[in-house]
Amino acid sequence: MAAIEPVVEFGRRVETHSGQPVNRCYQCRKCSGGCPLTFAMDILPHQLIRLVQLGLSEKALQSKTIWVCAACRTCVSRCPNGIDTAAVADALKQMAVESGTAVAENKVYAFHQSFLQSVRSNGRLHELGMIAGYKLKTKTYTQDLAMGLGMFRRGKLKLMAEKISRRDEIRQIFARSGEVKA
Amino acid sequence: MRYSYYPGCSLHSTASEYDLSTRAVMEALGVELVELSDWNCCGASSGHASSHFLTYALPLRNLILAEKQAAGDLLVPCAACYNLLKTADYKMASRDGEAESLNSEMQTIMGRRYEGRVQVRHVLEVLALPEIRRKIAAGVTRPLSGLKVAAYYGCLLSRPPQVVAFEDNPEQPTTMDAVLRLAGAEPVPWWGKTDCCGASLAISQPGLVETMVGRIVSAASYAGATALVTACPLCQSNLDTRQAPGQEMMPVFFITELLGLALGLAGSDKWLRRHMCDTQPVLAGVGGSLTAAHGKAGM
């Protein structure tokens, strides 16, 4: 059975972390009606919000839903209560990683880590470096190989990273971010 | 007319044709672009997924640079960068406690605060200005007659509407359709305009993105379009590379590429040869075969 935290406590933590008024939700389901990724989710967006309200933290933090949300913002655009469900999913991703919860979609997490590693060291994203980092983390060496070569031949992937001059400022931003490292 | 220009990471690599065509079109329309010096990645979309602070701090550094360099409104071709820069600007305009603390952090890091004086503008927004529309109408030398296209806006140009939208109706945007009509093309009415392409899931969840791209391409095809047009490097990349193998491929243009062709600008072959899905079959025969004419002119 899932551990149950007092309702107010988990909900409050999510509200603080995401900046979203989660408790305003009255389950109208417009978010789930418009969401383009429900076909890949284990919990629908309105159900995710309900879990947060009920303090069912484990179910929320272990869900696939928080990782496959593409942040298309359809939910927040249509929510009658002004709740940005994508921002709630972002907060839950961060809380899942911080609490050591098993990440339901490791590859999505590995992508974000590889992306930010590249930005942290260069100030800009170096796509080839990011892809190499991602493949090392996930051992998906052969995925999209032909496509990658095609892009390289068309000059779409640069060998060398572009670096900004004030990388010290980027390092300081990351140092203050509390972003959880690999 | 002068703008500070924020290309973003994609336009320096995977979407270099969007960068080249934007610069060419803006020059032809008398718009001067000054690239923001030492700009950094806005964080889309991994920043906000990983840290609440990064959501705002990465774009905020660029807003502070733009305010300091004061070369005009900040022109942004990438929908994701545009969205995050607008989101950071919106946050700072709220002047809430978090905005205050962000500003004092940035003061420590950069020795400068954000005063809220930067206007962030997307390329489509500038193309829709009455003055620019008049210049486009006067400058079209090779109208794209006979080209039926589906204008695809994606997510981040219009959502959430209170933060980013420049459209009258964010659920039914029209600015790109209007520009395409000025260029002589025929934009089709269709229902996929603001559907999601799957964005940054392309690498980690390619199967999901193929499904989402498949829906968009089918909808465009059902509406009678032979090509898609985007104003976002991530949308273009997903649509151009994740169409289901075995199906007939639909080419995916950037709005600035089609506009550049209609204006008869040099260098369009350099943009179009970077596409993964061949653009030639669709362009052959349009407006008296555009690219063939360009080839002869040695562009």
Side-chain angles (χ1 to χ4, degrees):
Chain A
M1 239 188 79
I4 299 180
E5 203 179 351
V7 173
V8 287
E9 217 161 291
F10 184 65
R12 247 184 224 153
R13 277 204 289 140
V14 174
E15 285 203 337
T16 312
H17 205 122
S18 65
Q20 298 306 313
V22 177
N23 279 317
R24 280 194 207 157
C25 173
Y26 48 56
Q27 297 285 294
C28 76
R29 309 186 185 191
K30 278 181 90 171
C31 51
S32 298
C35 177
L37 271 150
T38 48
F39 73 95
M41 290 175 170
D42 48 358
I43 294 168
L44 296 175
H46 75 281
Q47 295 173 323
L48 182 72
I49 300 296
R50 192 71 181 131
L51 289 177
V52 173
Q53 291 177 333
L54 293 174
L56 290 162
S57 55
E58 263 178 48
K59 261 196 148 168
L61 295 174
Q62 289 172 0
S63 70
K64 278 188 185 185
T65 298
I66 58 175
W67 295 98
V68 299
C69 165
C72 77
R73 321 295 295 278
T74 305
C75 49
V76 56
S77 301
R78 297 179 183 174
C79 178
N81 293 306
I83 301 167
D84 185 342
T85 304
V88 173
D90 280 343
L92 290 169
K93 286 197 258 292
Q94 293 153 28
M95 290 166 78
V97 172
E98 279 158 23
S99 64
T101 306
V103 168
E105 294 289 353
N106 267 313
K107 287 180 179 169
V108 178
Y109 178 47
F111 171 82
H112 292 316
Q113 282 181 304
S114 315
F115 186 107
L116 290 177
Q117 233 160 32
S118 178
V119 176
R120 191 193 291 121
S121 49
N122 305 309
R124 290 180 190 168
L125 175 67
H126 177 228
E127 275 143 334
L128 207 55
M130 182 263 288
I131 293 165
Y134 172 78
K135 286 189 176 295
L136 282 172
K137 279 189 210 300
T138 55
K139 303 191 169 50
T140 50
Y141 302 111
T142 54
Q143 183 202 316
D144 297 333
L145 214 54
M147 181 201 296
L149 286 171
M151 293 180 92
F152 188 73
R153 270 203 305 276
R154 288 168 177 79
K156 282 176 167 280
L157 294 171
K158 285 186 182 170
L159 274 180
M160 302 299 289
E162 260 181 44
K163 290 178 186 290
I164 70 166
S165 61
R166 297 303 303 267
R167 294 193 296 283
D168 57 314
E169 294 179 353
I170 301 300
R171 275 194 297 275
Q172 287 189 60
I173 287 174
F174 273 91
R176 284 165 161 78
S177 74
E179 180 244 335
V180 181
K181 294 194 181 110
Chain B
M1 198 181 270
R2 190 168 79 145
Y3 285 92
S4 182
Y5 180 61
Y6 179 86
C9 305
S10 297
L11 273 78
H12 272 209
S13 55
T14 48
S16 48
E17 63 268 44
Y18 193 18
D19 184 50
L20 294 169
S21 57
T22 298
R23 288 175 189 272
V25 163
M26 289 300 165
E27 191 188 345
L29 297 172
V31 178
E32 187 191 347
L33 301 181
V34 183
E35 184 162 332
L36 188 68
S37 176
D38 213 38
W39 58 267
N40 61 272
C41 171
C42 71
S45 356
S46 297
H48 63 73
S50 310
S51 150
H52 194 67
F53 181 72
L54 287 183
T55 310
Y56 300 115
L58 287 172
L60 190 53
R61 179 175 178 274
N62 295 306
L63 292 176
I64 292 173
L65 289 178
E67 198 166 63
K68 184 180 172 192
Q69 294 169 25
D73 289 1
L74 189 60
L75 184 73
V76 187
C78 169
C81 299
Y82 167 77
N83 190 286
L84 273 177
L85 288 160
K86 288 287 276 190
T87 301
D89 181 59
Y90 186 80
K91 178 69 180 174
M92 299 313 284
S94 78
R95 296 179 184 273
D96 65 6
E98 194 183 5
E100 263 317 299
S101 111
L102 278 161
N103 240 346
S104 67
E105 294 277 9
M106 295 316 278
Q107 172 73 44
T108 315
I109 295 168
M110 299 177 72
R112 217 182 155 90
R113 295 165 56 89
Y114 179 54
E115 306 294 345
R117 290 195 305 266
V118 177
Q119 286 287 340
V120 180
R121 303 278 184 210
H122 187 261
V123 162
L124 273 184
E125 209 178 348
V126 172
L127 293 177
L129 294 173
E131 178 190 344
I132 296 292
R133 292 175 62 147
R134 276 195 296 276
K135 284 189 185 173
I136 295 172
V140 169
T141 54
R142 296 173 191 277
L144 308 172
S145 40
L147 185 62
K148 288 181 89 170
V149 290
Y152 174 67
Y153 298 76
C155 306
L156 298 173
L157 291 176
S158 48
R159 288 195 290 263
Q162 62 272 34
V163 180
V164 299
F166 47 85
E167 295 278 350
D168 292 336
N169 180 356
E171 295 272 3
Q172 196 55 249
T174 55
T175 48
M176 201 188 321
D177 296 73
V179 173
L180 286 164
R181 250 179 245 114
L182 283 178
E186 190 186 327
V188 299
W190 70 305
W191 55 259
K193 280 183 171 183
T194 60
D195 278 15
C196 177
C197 72
S200 74
L201 294 172
I203 289 174
S204 60
Q205 301 287 329
L208 301 188
V209 173
E210 270 170 31
T211 303
M212 298 168 86
V213 165
R215 287 176 185 164
I216 294 164
V217 174
S218 315
S221 170
Y222 183 75
T226 53
L228 281 152
V229 192
T230 77
C232 170
L234 204 52
C235 296
Q236 198 277 344
S237 174
N238 283 355
L239 291 167
D240 198 27
T241 60
R242 300 286 174 191
Q243 291 182 40
Q247 264 182 8
E248 203 180 323
M249 297 276 285
M250 185 179 278
V252 189
F253 294 97
F254 287 108
I255 180 67
T256 45
E257 291 179 319
L258 288 185
L259 195 49
L261 283 174
L263 293 169
L265 303 184
S268 61
D269 57 328
K270 291 196 189 77
W271 316 332
L272 299 176
R273 72 168 176 234
R274 290 173 187 266
H275 286 231
M276 301 296 282
C277 172
D278 191 7
T279 57
Q280 295 311 311
V282 163
L283 290 177
V286 168
S289 193
L290 295 156
T291 46
H294 278 244
K296 270 181 224 148
M299 293 170 194

